[in-house]
Amino acid sequence: MSDEITLYTHPMSRGHIAHWMLEEVGVPYRIELIDFDRGTNKSPAFLALNPMGKVPTIVHRGVVVTEAAAVCAYLADAFPQAGLAPALDDPRRGTYLRWLFFAAGCGEPALLDKVSPRKDPPPSRSIGYGSYDEVIAALESAIRPGPYVLGEQFSAADVYVGSLIGWGMMVKSIEPRPAFVAYAKRLDERPAMQRVNQQCEKLAEQLKKPG
Ligand SMILES: N[C@@H](CCC(=O)N[C@@H](CS)C(=O)NCC(=O)O)C(=O)O
């Protein structure tokens, strides 16, 4: 059973979230590039790992972890020396888990519905995220006063929440409120984020090569 982490990713995908998390953790990993255009994510070998055929997918010590938010939580706990999650007995763990789960369970579907609205949306009391406006207000409250979700401590919650906010502003499903812009800028300046962006440029070049 290998201790090395394998990350299955595509440079322009949610795989970026797990990739950034790995760089923040600072442990060795190798990348398996997934080419959506060539359908490698639907190959039998990949579907055996992740029946959804989606990235990110990681394998560590023989265990598969999928879902970007779960990958962030898993890596933070597997490598506590990186200091990216409050310990189990730290009261801040509640805040950490709350916003990590909120961003994945409410933030992501709300932003997707904003850019591609449903024809017949369910009533807000039965839809998990309530309403788009409530989600945006909640997200803003999560990063205020900041500078991070846990105040002064950067954590895996910021990797996920920050990725969602950054993507949301890019696709214009989040308006660039000053708090969102300042938070995204702070995260963009992190060396781990810059390393990932450089690596992703190279991975995107690799995908363009005829193969
Ligand atoms: N719920 C998953 C969603 C992952 C996902 O949808 N990934 C997209 C890329 S952003 C993907 O792999 N799409 C390829 C496909 O579905 O064919 C997560 O949060 O990680």
Side-chain angles (χ1 to χ4, degrees):
M1 193 180 305
S2 170
D3 234 24
E4 185 186 48
I5 301 169
T6 305
L7 167 67
Y8 295 82
T9 190
H10 180 288
M12 278 88 70
S13 76
R14 293 171 177 89
H16 186 279
I17 304 170
H19 196 168
W20 176 22
M21 183 65 196
L22 281 162
E23 282 292 328
E24 292 286 355
V25 169
V27 291
Y29 63 93
R30 75 181 181 92
I31 288 179
E32 283 285 339
L33 189 54
I34 292 294
D35 187 338
F36 296 146
D37 292 338
R38 292 191 180 102
T40 47
N41 55 317
K42 303 296 179 192
S43 69
F46 188 70
L47 290 174
L49 294 176
N50 182 355
M52 295 294 288
K54 284 184 176 286
V55 298
T57 294
I58 69 163
V59 182
H60 182 217
R61 297 179 188 142
V63 172
V64 176
V65 188
T66 67
E67 305 309 307
V71 171
C72 291
Y74 172 81
L75 291 173
D77 289 345
F79 301 97
Q81 68 276 15
L84 293 170
L88 291 181
D89 60 354
D90 184 330
R92 292 174 312 157
R93 181 117 181 144
T95 305
Y96 162 79
L97 290 173
R98 174 188 177 193
W99 293 114
L100 189 53
F101 279 66
F102 177 83
C106 297
E108 189 186 272
L111 298 194
L112 278 172
D113 284 354
K114 181 73 177 171
V115 280
S116 308
R118 302 185 203 192
K119 278 205 183 86
D120 190 14
S124 68
R125 67 176 178 278
S126 53
I127 194 161
Y129 67 74
S131 72
Y132 170 82
D133 289 343
E134 286 166 321
V135 167
I136 296 299
L139 276 177
E140 189 170 3
S141 79
I143 58 163
R144 293 183 94 150
Y148 301 113
V149 168
L150 295 179
E152 290 302 320
Q153 189 195 337
F154 174 82
S155 73
D158 295 295
V159 174
Y160 194 86
V161 171
S163 295
L164 182 74
I165 290 175
W167 171 79
M169 286 197 294
M170 189 178 75
V171 301
K172 300 194 181 344
S173 62
I174 297 186
E175 61 179 278
R177 294 186 186 179
F180 293 143
V181 173
Y183 180 62
K185 182 170 181 292
R186 206 171 293 135
L187 299 178
D188 280 346
E189 284 166 357
R190 294 184 70 80
M193 170 72 101
Q194 291 178 4
R195 287 195 297 275
V196 170
N197 290 342
Q198 282 164 9
Q199 287 177 33
C200 283
E201 277 177 30
K202 290 189 185 140
L203 293 174
E205 286 304 314
Q206 246 172 277
L207 286 176
K208 284 188 204 151
K209 288 185 192 153

